[in-house]
Amino acid sequence: MASRKHLAAVMGAKVLMVGAGGIGCELLKTLALSGFQDIHIIDMDTIEVSNLNRQFLFRQSHVGQSKAKVAREAVLKFRPEISITSYHANVKDSDFNVDFFKQFNVVLNGLDNLDARRHVNRLCLGADVPLIESGTTGFLGQVTVHVKGRTECYECQPKPAPKTYPVCTITSTPSKFVHCIVWAKELLFAKLFGDKNQTNDLNVRSSDGASSSEQAEDVFEHSNDEDIEQYGRRIYDHVFGYNIEQALSNEETWKNRNRPKPMYIRDVMLNELGQQNGSVEKNGAANDVYSVSAMASLGMKNPQDIWSLMENSRVFLEALKLFFMKRQKEIGNLTFDKDDQLAVEFVTAAANIRAASFGIPLHSLFEAKGIAGNIVHAVATTNAIIAGLIVIEAIKVLQNDTKNYRMTYCLEHPARKMLLMPVDPFEPNKSCYVCSETPLSLEINTHRTKLRDVVEKIVRAKLGMGLPLIMHGSALLYEVGDDLDEDMVANYAANLDKVLSEFPTPVTSGTMLTIEDFQQELSCKINIKHREEFDEEKEPDGMVLSGWTQAPAVAQDDKKSTANAGSSSNASSSMEPEKTDDIETTPEKKRKLSDVSESANPDLSSVAGSSTRNPEKLELDDDDDELVIFDKWDSVTDKKIKLQ
Amino acid sequence: MDGEELTEQETALYDRQIRVWGAGAQRRLSKAHVLVCGITGTVAEFCKNIVLAGVGSLTLVDDRVVTEDALSANFLIPSDENVYAGKTLTELCRDSLKDFNPMVRVSVEKGDLASFGAEFYSKFDVVVVSCCSFTTKKLINEKCRKSSKRVAFYTVDCRDSCGEIFVDLQHHKYSKIKNEETIECELQYPSFEESISVTWKSFPRRFSKLYFAMRVIERFEEAEQRKPGELSIADLPAVLKLKKELCEAQSVNESHIPNALLERLVTDTREFPPVCPIIGGILGQEVIKTISEKGDPVKNFFFFDAMDGKGVIEDISGNP
């Protein structure tokens, strides 16, 4: 690969970048310097302060503006003659259909979530355009090349899904700090400040079904004439005191576990009750709701401090008070936002008090925010390295230099002296339902299950199809689209409620359904097999899809717990990047044949084993932004709860 | 450990990286002074990285004026002639770098590197040199080693699609996390001169070829009094001849250093643009590790060749 021979290929190329964040900024700059002349870039986000430590095309003055737009302007400053087209939009928009993708010679992803990656993967397959994928977390990163028919597609190997937790662990038996965060965020915060109509497991006990839910409802209601401080104390006592006592009354649960301690405000705060240690007036001048802060009001300055139980309790009460006094209007509509200081303070305090109750170590606001906000830690250098590697692969793709395509892993700890480790791409997975033709199998009770369940649980949830179309032979059972007339829409709505075997062309054992996603141009076949009974615990969905590989759910360590969650250990002592879930399953697969190079392609499992005790995470997601965590494992024993 | 807290502004800006290396490391970074000599595309990348990381200060030394070549590899230089006319390369880079992070002091130092004394270098915690002759590298390394305070020394060179980083941390103490525990470590580094005087015969068979190739080129440029990178295909025969001589002197087979590799390095001395962020990124991480005293640093060479895609660490200590 001579450096200059690429020029012709590069100069004539039309390239699509998806993402203008951490990797995106570095990539756009490197593409420009490498001679690319026609670049399109899509990003739906706007610039935030926390981006500025690495997304160097942006300045403080750009906060709030479109990333794609500002990135474009910044690069044109040193390469005014090139053409950059920016789209401040979601790549999942219908405008970015297969025809749109077809105009490009290569697509380069710099995304931060699995959902969008799968979507782009399918569009690239549909358009037959090579895709170069990448991701970074802390000091780790990787670049992979996907060419239809030649290499694996992005979905050939299952990607670890984000972590979920059993409901009872969250509501009754937390053992790790992250469980307390989930409780504080998804249950308590949601109950107090979120949509009242949402079902909430807050008062569920694991096996005792005798909760009088109506009484519980009353507890959380704040009546207008109730003194807000009184309300706060009442809530505190209820969730940290009464609820714990209730849980303790169930002996079975605590046979082999440490019993939690109920916390009551009178014991924790001693003679502080009634003392106004926070001043509402301090926050009086704040116009911006986000500048209202319990910490500020209480004179607490350092987000890295680990507060005592008393301090946490103070923050809890103060935050609650401030929500009601300063942000009354929002109550009932709030969702947790990691950039909402008061929300983060409240969740931190609540989680810590619960942790104290259960003998779990307390954490600082900084750490709690990372966990609750699914913050991915990130630095400029890794993104820069990955960007360089992406461009190197892109140039090969443009020259059709197929023998030299490679996946490259950027490691924190060297493996066999290598910090940058190239690996040959793998052949397509023959059972990949996305890029191969292999049909899937669905075991289901066709006499009892409605089409709606298949659409929700299988087509949307597992197969990730947003705009599905379901056919049985030539009969259209269901479809989604803008261009449907009223009759059709009504017909499809009615079909959703039909039981499978009751369709005019009955769906029974042996039926082959064709499922397509209009936008993704993805088509897949499902063989239906009738089965009478399903295990309620192991198969709560009442159906089993096979031929679709899913990554195993994973280990219990706090450090590895939530995908892209911040480490639960003290940040100042942690140099280790977050060890997120599962290592990618090591290929037992056929590798792509390539020229034999001096050092044969390393087996990933040995690499992982040799570096640290915990295997290096090789599949990574980039950057900020909430990673949606969904729970739909067939093999799950308990009902799962989401961390969103 | 100082008692100063990070300011609110720093905490907000550096949040994502503090989650990687911690507040203590961030504080140490903010007190570090870095000197950079020779602004290439790769070095520009490195400068961007450490400015974003939040070092205390960055001083740039390079007496060259703006050229076509410099423009093409360097994203720090605006293309608008009205902006860059009359300014030196370093002044332009300084202005752009300051923009990336107003909290970092970026300045320019003029003059001939070789003339600066040891006391000049001792003002810095880290010195990075690029585009220097073999003699200059040795000289600056020696001056860094004279200081009572440890001055970390790095060389970085990118030619064609290859890159080499040399690291001299002298005596380096640091901590790292292994199996969830923090352990204290110490390393002793040889100087540049000590490293390159290790006989080639003693290296394992699978040693990076790039090391040897770079030494040949280095020797050639020195002998012919050429500026670093001032080679062309016309020089290839003479370079191959030198290679032969050096191999003989070192009692190694000529095939130790592939001719094809030398040809690449001689023909295309300019940096291949996508390699700049890779080498600049690795170098950035190394300097951050050194300043923060956290994490295993590279000891003591790093090589990258886009052709095979490997980024390899080689340890050439004075002791066999």
Side-chain angles (χ1 to χ4, degrees):
Chain A
M1 183 194 75
S3 318
R4 300 299 172 254
K5 280 187 191 154
H6 72 265
L7 263 176
V10 163
M11 281 170 55
K14 194 167 181 181
V15 165
L16 175 65
M17 283 181 51
V18 187
I23 292 180
C25 284
E26 293 286 346
L27 183 56
L28 186 60
K29 170 258 299 167
T30 306
L31 286 171
L33 289 177
S34 302
F36 285 80
Q37 305 277 313
D38 189 355
I39 306 169
H40 291 237
I41 179 162
I42 304 174
D43 194 308
M44 59 188 239
D45 284 339
T46 55
I47 298 162
E48 296 176 16
V49 169
S50 62
N51 298 151
L52 303 177
N53 81 318
R54 64 206 181 281
Q55 298 172 28
F56 71 97
L57 297 176
F58 311 143
R59 303 281 169 268
Q60 185 75 42
S61 56
H62 293 135
V63 171
Q65 294 180 38
S66 151
K67 287 190 179 184
K69 185 164 157 290
V70 176
R72 169 182 173 274
E73 286 163 3
V75 171
L76 286 176
K77 284 218 181 81
F78 60 90
R79 279 287 184 280
E81 73 283 0
I82 72 181
S83 165
I84 306 177
T85 312
S86 63
Y87 306 85
H88 182 196
N90 188 337
V91 71
K92 292 179 79 174
D93 284 352
S94 53
D95 287 337
F96 305 120
N97 55 16
V98 169
D99 281 334
F100 173 83
F101 274 75
K102 274 192 175 137
Q103 61 179 307
F104 299 103
N105 302 104
V106 67
V107 174
L108 312 174
N109 267 356
L111 287 165
D112 57 12
N113 69 91
L114 185 60
D115 190 50
R117 285 174 154 133
R118 288 172 82 186
H119 184 88
V120 172
N121 178 50
R122 292 164 185 202
L123 282 156
C124 287
L125 288 167
D128 201 359
V129 175
L131 169 65
I132 300 180
E133 252 295 351
S134 63
T136 64
T137 303
F139 292 127
L140 301 178
Q142 90 273 354
V143 174
T144 53
V145 179
H146 307 279
V147 179
K148 185 173 179 177
R150 254 188 200 286
T151 72
E152 286 189 328
C153 81
Y154 180 71
E155 295 177 81
C156 276
Q157 284 195 37
K159 302 295 179 269
K163 185 89 178 88
T164 57
Y165 304 95
V167 168
C168 55
T169 304
I170 304 299
T171 58
S172 314
T173 53
S175 55
K176 297 184 187 310
F177 187 68
V178 62
H179 302 153
C180 302
I181 287 280
V182 176
W183 176 88
K185 184 183 155 195
E186 306 295 340
L187 297 184
L188 186 61
F189 183 89
K191 186 76 178 176
L192 286 170
F193 307 115
D195 185 356
K196 301 251 181 290
N197 295 323
Q198 282 271 341
T199 49
N200 190 300
D201 290 312
L202 192 57
N203 291 316
V204 168
R205 258 85 59 190
S206 45
S207 49
D208 169 24
S211 51
S212 55
S213 56
E214 277 197 33
Q215 266 188 343
E217 285 304 324
D218 291 342
V219 169
F220 292 97
E221 276 300 312
H222 170 244
S223 56
N224 287 332
D225 54 355
E226 184 180 15
D227 170 45
I228 195 62
E229 304 213 355
Q230 162 102 346
Y231 172 68
R233 294 193 289 270
R234 181 158 67 73
I235 296 294
Y236 187 109
D237 282 348
H238 183 83
V239 300
F240 300 121
Y242 174 76
N243 276 358
I244 302 292
E245 306 240 17
Q246 287 294 305
L248 282 169
S249 67
N250 184 352
E251 283 295 326
E252 259 311 299
T253 316
W254 310 108
K255 246 186 173 167
N256 297 318
R257 293 188 177 97
N258 290 330
R259 307 169 82 85
K261 254 184 62 180
M263 306 282 187
Y264 289 98
I265 206 73
R266 60 176 182 265
D267 303 322
V268 174
M269 302 287 270
L270 301 173
N271 59 355
E272 297 218 11
L273 294 175
Q275 245 182 309
Q276 185 79 335
N277 31 18
S279 164
V280 172
E281 281 68 47
K282 278 202 204 118
N283 284 302
N287 292 322
D288 172 12
V289 288
Y290 282 174
S291 71
V292 169
S293 156
M295 277 175 72
S297 162
L298 295 170
M300 295 162 80
K301 296 240 162 73
N302 190 352
Q304 306 248 351
D305 283 336
I306 298 185
W307 305 328
S308 65
L309 175 58
M310 179 144 62
E311 286 170 322
N312 276 296
S313 304
R314 272 202 213 120
V315 172
F316 179 88
L317 293 172
E318 185 68 14
L320 193 93
K321 179 166 97 178
L322 286 172
F323 266 117
F324 276 87
M325 302 202 71
K326 294 277 161 186
R327 298 173 60 178
Q328 179 80 48
K329 292 199 196 87
E330 298 172 65
I331 294 176
N333 292 320
L334 276 170
T335 45
F336 179 82
D337 176 355
K338 67 183 189 295
D339 295 312
D340 180 348
Q341 176 68 13
L342 196 59
V344 172
E345 289 170 350
F346 179 82
V347 166
T348 301
N352 273 331
I353 299 165
R354 186 168 175 83
S357 203
F358 283 84
I360 297 169
L362 305 189
H363 286 65
S364 67
L365 181 110
F366 180 79
E367 292 163 333
K369 177 177 168 179
I371 300 170
N374 285 321
I375 294 178
V376 176
H377 45 290
V379 294
T381 49
T382 319
N383 288 333
I385 293 167
I386 291 306
L389 293 168
I390 292 171
V391 174
I392 289 175
E393 292 307 310
I395 293 174
K396 289 180 204 166
V397 163
L398 293 171
Q399 293 179 282
N400 243 306
D401 188 9
T402 53
K403 287 213 177 74
N404 287 314
Y405 295 162
R406 62 176 67 105
M407 317 211 283
T408 311
Y409 294 91
C410 178
L411 308 173
E412 185 183 358
H413 304 291
R416 292 168 25 191
K417 298 198 300 181
M418 287 186 281
L419 283 178
L420 298 176
M421 189 174 76
V423 173
D424 273 355
F426 304 125
E427 288 176 357
N429 178 358
K430 293 206 168 44
S431 2
C432 174
Y433 73 92
V434 179
C435 72
S436 303
E437 295 290 307
T438 318
L440 298 165
S441 265
L442 181 63
E443 288 169 74
I444 191 170
N445 187 319
T446 57
H447 299 305
R448 286 212 294 262
T449 319
K450 294 184 183 167
L451 182 63
R452 175 193 307 284
D453 292 323
V454 176
V455 172
E456 292 309 315
K457 294 178 184 172
I458 301 293
V459 177
R460 284 190 195 278
K462 291 221 164 76
L463 302 184
M465 294 190 186
L467 299 173
L469 181 149
I470 304 179
M471 290 189 296
H472 177 191
S474 56
L476 258 173
L477 302 185
Y478 180 73
E479 79 180 293
V480 177
D482 289 332
D483 55 346
L484 304 174
D485 66 47
E486 278 180 31
D487 287 341
M488 289 169 85
V489 172
N491 184 36
Y492 292 136
N495 279 359
L496 283 177
D497 280 319
K498 284 203 183 108
V499 165
L500 294 177
S501 57
E502 286 167 16
F503 274 90
T505 45
V507 176
T508 54
S509 235
T511 300
M512 175 92 90
L513 290 179
T514 302
I515 319 236
E516 291 184 358
D517 183 294
F518 168 69
Q519 192 187 354
Q520 295 167 1
E521 285 207 12
L522 174 63
S523 174
C524 100
K525 295 192 178 339
I526 303 188
N527 273 326
I528 302 291
K529 289 193 184 124
H530 173 80
R531 203 171 108 191
E532 272 300 314
E533 294 300 330
F534 289 85
D535 186 321
E536 260 184 46
E537 280 193 6
K538 295 203 180 99
E539 300 158 328
D541 280 343
M543 53 188 94
V544 178
L545 185 69
S546 37
W548 168 80
T549 38
Q550 66 192 45
V554 112
Q556 306 309 309
D557 201 295
D558 256 350
K559 284 210 177 67
K560 296 196 278 181
S561 49
T562 319
N564 297 340
S567 166
S568 65
S569 68
N570 192 321
S572 63
S573 67
S574 162
M575 188 65 165
E576 291 285 25
E578 178 59 16
K579 296 285 198 293
T580 50
D581 292 345
D582 244 44
I583 190 176
E584 232 179 285
T585 48
T586 314
E588 298 290 344
K589 306 176 187 206
K590 266 189 284 190
R591 309 228 170 181
K592 185 168 175 252
L593 292 173
S594 67
D595 295 338
V596 174
S597 59
E598 201 180 75
S599 60
N601 301 309
D603 175 34
L604 294 173
S605 62
S606 69
V607 162
S610 65
S611 40
T612 52
R613 187 185 72 176
N614 295 320
E616 296 272 37
K617 179 75 182 72
L618 291 179
E619 181 57 43
L620 300 149
D621 284 310
D622 176 37
D623 276 10
D624 300 322
D625 283 33
E626 282 75 26
L627 186 69
V628 172
I629 298 180
F630 44 86
D631 62 300
K632 267 129 191 157
W633 303 121
D634 281 330
S635 51
V636 150
T637 47
D638 289 327
K639 190 179 130 194
K640 296 297 194 191
I641 199 164
K642 302 183 206 188
L643 174 69
Q644 283 182 318
Chain B
M1 181 74 150
D2 49 272
E4 294 160 31
E5 306 285 350
L6 291 170
T7 66
E8 230 181 271
Q9 190 191 8
E10 285 172 318
T11 311
L13 178 64
Y14 299 138
D15 184 87
R16 298 299 184 265
Q17 66 201 38
I18 291 173
R19 290 176 193 280
V20 176
W21 53 60
Q26 190 61 53
R27 278 193 289 273
R28 261 179 241 128
L29 280 167
S30 72
K31 297 185 184 328
H33 304 291
V34 180
L35 174 71
V36 159
C37 313
I39 316 285
T40 59
T42 304
V43 172
E45 283 281 341
F46 165 74
C47 290
K48 170 222 350 135
N49 292 335
I50 55 158
V51 165
L52 289 174
V55 291
S57 78
L58 174 63
T59 307
L60 309 173
V61 176
D62 192 321
D63 280 339
R64 294 173 299 171
V65 291
V66 181
T67 60
E68 268 302 315
D69 266 6
L71 266 184
S72 73
N74 191 326
F75 66 97
L76 297 176
I77 307 175
S79 67
D80 184 355
E81 274 201 42
N82 295 329
V83 178
Y84 79 67
K87 288 200 180 147
T88 64
L89 185 62
T90 40
E91 283 165 349
L92 291 165
C93 293
R94 172 200 60 198
D95 295 341
S96 296
L97 286 167
K98 271 166 129 155
D99 236 10
F100 293 153
N101 188 346
M103 293 195 268
V104 178
R105 261 181 309 122
V106 187
S107 61
V108 163
E109 187 76 42
K110 294 188 202 276
D112 174 20
L113 275 183
S115 67
F116 296 146
E119 63 307 330
F120 169 75
Y121 291 100
S122 62
K123 288 191 282 179
F124 301 98
D125 300 286
V126 174
V127 171
V128 174
V129 306
S130 186
C131 272
C132 282
S133 70
F134 172 70
T135 307
T136 310
K137 282 181 191 172
K138 267 200 320 184
L139 203 63
I140 299 179
N141 189 198
E142 275 161 35
K143 290 182 183 172
C144 289
R145 287 185 143 237
K146 280 213 178 86
S147 171
S148 52
K149 171 188 110 181
R150 193 274 305 268
V151 178
F153 173 82
Y154 296 82
T155 71
V156 60
D157 284 295
C158 255
R159 288 158 188 263
D160 185 59
S161 47
C162 297
E164 173 190 82
I165 296 173
F166 166 76
V167 183
D168 177 11
L169 305 183
Q170 299 171 45
H171 183 75
H172 183 64
K173 283 193 176 154
Y174 65 100
S175 68
K176 69 177 182 184
I177 301 196
K178 199 170 181 182
N179 301 337
E180 298 182 24
E181 274 178 17
T182 307
I183 45 182
E184 301 295 323
C185 308
E186 269 178 54
L187 288 174
Q188 192 68 38
Y189 283 70
S191 70
F192 182 68
E193 184 163 20
E194 284 166 354
S195 290
I196 60 160
S197 43
V198 174
T199 52
W200 295 0
K201 215 161 50 133
S202 66
F203 292 164
R205 236 178 50 81
R206 281 201 174 180
F207 206 81
S208 293
K209 305 269 184 260
L210 191 49
Y211 172 78
F212 305 114
M214 294 294 263
R215 303 284 80 72
V216 171
I217 303 269
E218 212 170 51
R219 197 65 89 83
F220 183 82
E221 284 174 348
E222 183 90 0
E224 303 293 312
Q225 300 275 342
R226 304 283 187 86
K227 288 216 187 93
E230 230 182 41
L231 297 177
S232 72
I233 188 97
D235 293 307
L236 188 58
V239 169
L240 292 179
K241 181 158 164 283
L242 178 61
K243 163 196 139 168
K244 192 158 178 240
E245 288 164 18
L246 288 174
C247 287
E248 273 170 19
Q250 294 272 3
S251 311
V252 295
N253 196 307
E254 261 197 75
S255 61
H256 232 59
I257 312 177
N259 285 355
L261 180 56
L262 279 170
E263 184 173 344
R264 279 168 62 200
L265 297 177
V266 162
T267 317
D268 251 321
T269 59
R270 287 182 309 173
E271 300 158 300
F272 181 42
V275 173
C276 298
I278 295 172
I279 306 299
I282 297 279
L283 181 61
Q285 275 171 6
E286 286 307 307
V287 168
I288 290 168
K289 277 193 258 183
T290 297
I291 295 171
S292 65
E293 293 166 13
K294 291 179 97 170
D296 288 316
V298 158
K299 179 170 183 273
N300 57 342
F301 275 90
F302 174 83
F303 295 103
F304 176 75
D305 185 349
M307 202 122 183
D308 64 18
K310 291 190 204 158
V312 181
I313 300 173
E314 297 286 8
D315 189 348
I316 307 171
S317 307
N319 312 314

